[in-house]
Amino acid sequence: MKKNFLLLSLLGLTLTTSIISCSKDDDFGFEQSQKSNVSMTFTGENITNYKTLEIEILETNTGSFIKKSVENNNNLSLSLAYGSYKITVNGTIIANTGETLTIAGSANLDVNTSNSNINIPLFFKQFSQDFIIEEVFYTGVKTPEGKNYNSSRYFKLVNNTDKILYADGLIIGQSEFLTSVNNNVSPHNPNDYFAVKGMMLLPGNGTQYPVEPGDFIVVADNAINHNAQTSTAFNLEKADFEFPSIKNTTLAQVDNPSVPNVKVVYTSMAFDDMIYLHSSGVEAYVIARFPAGETDASFLQNYKYSYSYTNAAGTTTNKSAYKIPNTWILDGFNNSTSDKFLHILTSTSIDSGWTGVGEFWNDPNRLGKSVRRKTLGKTNTGKNIYKDTNNSAEDFIRNAEPSLKNGIVH
């Protein structure tokens, strides 16, 4: 009895001490996070009424996410913990003309004082009566033997209008920067231009490649039957155009003489005929057209883009690429992964969100999947009508089944 009583007493003493210790930890070991009163103002030109604004606030260090809505107002006040924030705005406004239009904006904000104020400029979303990007397959596939097959990537561009369009002279641009890395380069103004590390130009005399309303074209890295190489890859021999890298022999790509080649106007890669899509997709793509008087030669002469940033060693890195003016761009979208996203690479007037394949960086389940645009219905001829709000988070299906998995069928 005494032994049992003594054991219970010691246990009670230990438990009491443990509780007191926890209490002390709560009192002295916990650090309250500092917060700031943040006032946001959203402004744009030629706007008479701000109908609805949807504000998304991402803290880039922790990944914490806040979503707010504002109606008939262009101000938002809230309390935010100290940190570094990426703010994205999508909304509907009444313009001076009386039209109801969509707008978007974005900004970065470092919160490190008790009160913070920021004005976020808003821009009208940029639409055109031309091609849009319906699908991009960039992940590659895994062979039955477990190896990566590094071909059969493609762009699928669709005529989402009610008139015949011509694919002649279309530009496809690949972003210079990544959505997963932000080096705070200078100068950099995505509201004016889109920086590219790769750019290709489709051939044609202007009316050589007509595309009916609702129909599409395929621009493949290599227009061959990849399914003959491995059962998990796709048959792209009926692609409309191709961009094979013949000089990089490690890719083992060949030129299909029956499919027209694009012209690689610029690439930052070691081989001047090579454009290679990032397998994890942390980049952006645009399609564009040269305005009257511009050519690929004048582009290379007049649109070089030089920038610099402070690297991890504390010294300055100087680099150069090229830039496509936003006024040339027809459509574009951003890609990323949830664990790596830091910023979008386009103006929010072109794309105010992002999509992607895979749940995290280098997700093995991303292979063999694509991003595809959502459909809204059918035309009277049975063709798809595609959603296009210039917000790829809303417009695209993540982790989609590739539409060309069983070959190209119009």
Side-chain angles (χ1 to χ4, degrees):
M1 291 289 291
K2 286 184 179 181
K3 287 183 181 180
N4 290 342
F5 176 76
L6 179 61
L7 181 60
L8 289 170
S9 298
L10 289 172
L11 181 60
L13 180 60
T14 303
L15 182 61
T16 303
T17 304
S18 176
I19 293 171
I20 293 171
S21 175
C22 286
S23 177
K24 287 183 178 179
D25 285 346
D26 289 342
D27 290 340
F28 301 105
F30 179 73
E31 183 179 342
Q32 292 283 348
S33 62
Q34 292 178 288
K35 291 198 171 184
S36 172
N37 297 314
V38 179
S39 295
M40 300 180 187
T41 304
F42 314 98
T43 57
E45 296 182 356
N46 302 315
I47 297 174
T48 59
N49 182 42
Y50 298 82
K51 291 187 66 178
T52 304
L53 300 177
E54 300 288 343
I55 302 103
E56 296 181 347
I57 305 166
L58 172 70
E59 207 293 308
T60 58
N61 297 301
T62 64
S64 63
F65 181 79
I66 300 170
K67 189 169 184 177
K68 297 286 186 179
S69 295
V70 175
E71 292 188 3
N72 299 313
N73 197 353
N74 66 326
N75 296 283
L76 174 67
S77 296
L78 73 167
S79 178
L80 291 178
Y82 281 23
S84 295
Y85 292 89
K86 176 70 177 178
I87 305 164
T88 305
V89 186
N90 285 279
T92 305
I93 58 87
I94 303 296
N96 289 350
T97 59
E99 297 174 284
T100 300
L101 301 173
T102 54
I103 48 84
S106 67
N108 297 311
L109 175 65
D110 289 326
V111 175
N112 50 26
T113 59
S114 58
N115 293 284
S116 302
N117 298 283
I118 185 171
N119 179 68
I120 301 176
L122 302 177
F123 300 90
F124 292 107
K125 291 199 173 184
Q126 180 177 315
F127 297 95
S128 67
Q129 284 293 303
D130 212 314
F131 287 93
I132 59 173
I133 302 170
E134 191 267 303
E135 180 183 14
V136 181
F137 176 70
Y138 52 75
T139 60
V141 299
K142 186 77 74 175
T143 70
E145 297 75 29
K147 297 179 180 179
N148 289 342
Y149 183 77
N150 293 317
S151 280
S152 74
R153 291 167 164 85
Y154 61 84
F155 293 90
K156 187 179 177 187
L157 313 180
V158 67
N159 177 358
N160 205 39
T161 76
D162 58 0
K163 61 184 180 181
I164 295 175
L165 295 176
Y166 295 90
D168 307 53
L170 276 175
I171 295 166
I172 300 177
Q174 177 187 27
S175 62
E176 163 72 356
F177 306 119
L178 301 178
T179 56
S180 58
V181 177
N182 188 357
N183 286 321
N184 295 309
V185 306
S186 180
H188 182 48
N189 189 357
N191 290 321
D192 288 339
Y193 53 78
F194 179 74
V196 292
K197 66 179 175 186
M199 177 175 142
M200 50 185 149
L201 177 67
L202 272 58
N205 59 19
T207 56
Q208 193 172 346
Y209 300 104
V211 181
E212 295 289 333
D215 206 357
F216 62 86
I217 61 169
V218 175
V219 185
D221 63 347
N222 199 190
I224 64 170
N225 183 5
H226 298 276
N227 188 251
Q229 311 297 318
T230 178
S231 61
T232 53
F234 314 144
N235 183 355
L236 301 180
E237 60 187 351
K238 292 183 180 179
D240 300 274
F241 305 95
E242 66 172 348
F243 55 103
S245 179
I246 307 303
K247 295 180 180 180
N248 184 1
T249 56
T250 59
L251 287 180
Q253 293 184 340
V254 297
D255 190 0
N256 182 345
S258 65
V259 175
N261 285 5
V262 307
K263 181 176 185 178
V264 176
V265 176
Y266 168 71
T267 179
S268 63
M269 304 202 74
F271 301 93
D272 61 11
D273 67 339
M274 184 177 180
I275 290 181
Y276 190 77
L277 308 186
H278 197 295
S279 178
S280 287
V282 287
E283 53 192 7
Y285 310 108
V286 300
I287 56 174
R289 288 189 188 274
F290 288 130
E294 293 285 356
T295 64
D296 54 314
S298 65
F299 173 81
L300 293 174
Q301 181 178 351
N302 299 323
Y303 292 93
K304 193 168 185 178
Y305 168 53
S306 297
Y307 64 91
S308 63
Y309 62 91
T310 302
N311 57 39
T315 59
T316 300
T317 295
N318 296 297
K319 297 190 73 174
S320 64
Y322 280 86
K323 60 184 179 181
I324 301 174
N326 285 353
T327 53
W328 301 4
I329 294 175
L330 311 174
D331 189 37
F333 74 104
N334 296 271
N335 295 273
S336 197
T337 57
S338 298
D339 61 331
K340 293 293 184 179
F341 173 74
L342 289 179
H343 60 155
I344 63 174
L345 305 175
T346 63
S347 166
T348 53
S349 66
I350 296 167
D351 182 20
S352 57
W354 61 274
T355 185
V357 176
E359 302 307 317
F360 52 86
W361 173 261
N362 215 25
D363 182 355
N365 293 322
R366 78 190 188 284
L367 298 173
K369 295 177 182 176
S370 71
V371 288
R372 295 189 62 187
R373 194 176 287 269
K374 296 175 182 177
T375 58
L376 296 175
K378 299 280 188 181
T379 67
N380 56 8
T381 59
K383 298 292 186 181
N384 287 330
I385 301 172
Y386 292 94
K387 186 174 183 178
D388 184 17
T389 69
N390 282 12
N391 181 354
S392 55
E394 299 293 331
D395 293 345
F396 282 84
I397 303 169
R398 295 172 54 91
N399 304 310
E401 191 82 359
S403 65
L404 306 186
K405 186 174 182 178
N406 298 314
I408 299 172
V409 180
H410 289 265

